[in-house]
Amino acid sequence: MRSLIDILDFSVEEIEELLTVANDIIDNPQKYGEICKGKKLATLFFEPSTRTRLSFEAAMYELGGNVIGFSEANSSSASKGESVADTAKTISCYADIIAMRHPKEGAPFVAAQNATIPVINAGDGGHNHPTQTLADLLTIYREKGGFNNLTVGFCGDLKFGRTVHSLINALSRYSGIRVVLISPEELKLPSYVKKDVLLKNGIPYTQTTSLEDAIPELDILYMTRVQRERFFNEEDYLRLKDSYVLEPKKLTNAKKDLSIMHPLPRVNEISVSIDSDPRACYFKQVLNGKYVRMALILKLLKEAGRI
Ligand code: CP
């Protein structure tokens, strides 16, 4: 059974195909309004979410399907000790496809091993968030026309930021990519991502603590929130939370066609005065997320023979 647990589960060609379908949905939404009639998406969210859960729900409704699910672990039988494996087997009796977010790394993988329907990883701990990456890729594609020869700066919490890990993995398969890692010492990109992704694929990268120094060379600036929920103590979070705040004056030396991205939610990392800058793309990412999740649901349901 085909699932999406890690962005690398899909080939470059398959991702291109998904982006093509997502663009067609944007242009011709009426073609897609009934394809999933009678089908059910189960959203199993053991961790809070606004965009991912609601965009999955909107996606399924816009495909003519229905949605069941829960939005917190406490309202499911996980609170009584039920395992992820048993939950996946149970939901397979009720739904056609699962989108799961879980605080434990690997939980959606376990679900996929036990479900008889496709499982989509909607974020697992500090590990991966492949559907955010699909939203990011669609945004980059629409802004830049492709993925080659881009200098991409990742700024903020690169240690716990699962969207950063997934996007670096995805971009590592294109040519001419350069990566600039901007973070405090304590929140540097994990060495396993540097070794297994950047070094292994020969992606040139630099590390810095200075956002101002890095900005002029960037085609894309991917800002991230410091992930309070992954810290072991509040003191460290409070010390690091405002390490980077993007304000208009910091863009003085930025490229005119810079794309400013953020997976959201935003806390303090981007001043709201940037929102009206034509280079701000983060609310475009939100909308693109719905379209690419529609394309993903269609792909997995087709491969499972359910539509
Ligand atoms: N980007 C993202 O995953 O947002 P939510 O946590 O609101 O789903």
Side-chain angles (χ1 to χ4, degrees):
M1 179 65 52
R2 198 84 194 277
S3 287
L4 174 62
I5 304 302
D6 185 305
I7 194 68
L8 298 181
D9 292 345
F10 286 172
S11 67
V12 168
E13 292 74 25
E14 284 180 304
I15 286 177
E16 270 174 33
E17 197 185 295
L18 274 177
L19 301 187
T20 302
V21 173
N23 278 314
D24 192 52
I25 293 170
I26 293 170
D27 293 338
N28 305 292
Q30 72 287 349
K31 268 169 57 182
Y32 295 87
E34 301 215 340
I35 299 182
C36 289
K37 210 169 169 186
K39 303 299 163 192
K40 288 193 281 292
L41 163 74
T43 51
L44 313 184
F45 276 63
F46 295 87
E47 241 193 8
S49 166
T50 296
R51 274 148 295 275
T52 310
R53 185 171 66 83
L54 295 180
S55 69
F56 264 117
E57 295 195 1
M60 194 53 167
Y61 286 126
E62 290 187 27
L63 291 167
N66 292 301
V67 182
I68 57 174
F70 51 81
S71 57
E72 52 178 312
N74 282 344
S75 64
S76 78
S77 286
S79 62
K80 302 174 204 163
E82 187 165 45
S83 68
V84 166
D86 283 359
T87 302
K89 285 179 189 162
T90 300
I91 303 301
S92 297
C93 301
Y94 306 142
D96 298 282
I97 186 165
I98 291 172
M100 174 187 277
R101 171 169 290 188
H102 202 286
K104 281 205 181 119
E105 283 88 352
F109 174 75
V110 172
Q113 299 293 302
N114 288 279
T116 54
I117 57 177
V119 174
I120 300 169
N121 178 2
D124 61 329
H127 189 216
N128 274 319
H129 193 347
T131 65
Q132 179 63 46
T133 303
L134 292 175
D136 298 341
L137 291 175
L138 181 58
T139 307
I140 294 171
Y141 185 82
R142 289 176 70 84
E143 295 300 310
K144 301 290 181 200
F147 305 110
N148 295 325
N149 304 316
L150 295 171
T151 299
V152 186
F154 292 92
C155 178
D157 184 350
L158 309 189
K159 179 178 179 185
F160 297 117
R162 58 194 175 195
T163 64
V164 170
H165 306 161
S166 285
L167 185 55
I168 287 178
N169 256 303
L171 291 175
S172 72
R173 299 191 288 187
Y174 297 93
S175 68
I177 293 287
R178 292 182 60 243
V179 167
V180 183
L181 303 168
I182 309 151
S183 74
E185 278 299 318
E186 294 96 323
L187 298 177
K188 279 162 89 171
L189 191 73
S191 38
Y192 79 87
V193 182
K194 279 185 241 169
K195 184 165 158 272
D196 298 346
V197 185
L198 296 174
L199 291 172
K200 189 173 158 198
N201 292 293
I203 310 285
Y205 73 93
T206 54
Q207 297 188 95
T208 177
T209 54
S210 169
L211 174 58
E212 287 85 341
D213 288 353
I215 275 185
E217 63 175 319
L218 303 180
D219 299 304
I220 293 169
L221 171 59
Y222 195 94
M223 296 294 295
T224 61
R225 166 180 73 91
V226 174
Q227 307 262 311
R228 180 181 209 155
E229 63 275 31
R230 317 253 178 251
F231 275 73
F232 288 111
N233 77 68
E234 184 74 0
E235 230 171 74
D236 285 348
Y237 169 73
L238 293 173
R239 183 167 50 80
L240 293 167
K241 73 183 174 72
D242 291 327
S243 297
Y244 302 100
V245 180
L246 187 65
E247 292 162 333
K249 65 174 186 286
K250 292 198 178 141
L251 291 173
T252 308
N253 296 318
K255 289 185 181 175
K256 295 282 173 272
D257 64 347
L258 171 72
S259 295
I260 303 166
M261 300 178 65
H262 190 310
L264 304 180
R266 158 176 61 186
V267 183
N268 224 8
E269 321 71 61
I270 301 182
S271 155
V272 290
S273 55
I274 302 272
D275 294 2
S276 54
D277 188 307
R279 293 170 289 188
C281 293
Y282 27 97
F283 289 106
K284 291 181 187 172
Q285 283 168 267
V286 173
L287 185 57
N288 288 334
K290 180 185 73 174
Y291 294 121
V292 84
R293 287 180 177 107
M294 288 172 78
L296 175 63
I297 290 168
L298 288 176
K299 177 179 172 61
L300 292 177
L301 286 180
K302 265 186 203 146
E303 289 196 22
R306 288 184 174 254
I307 55 172

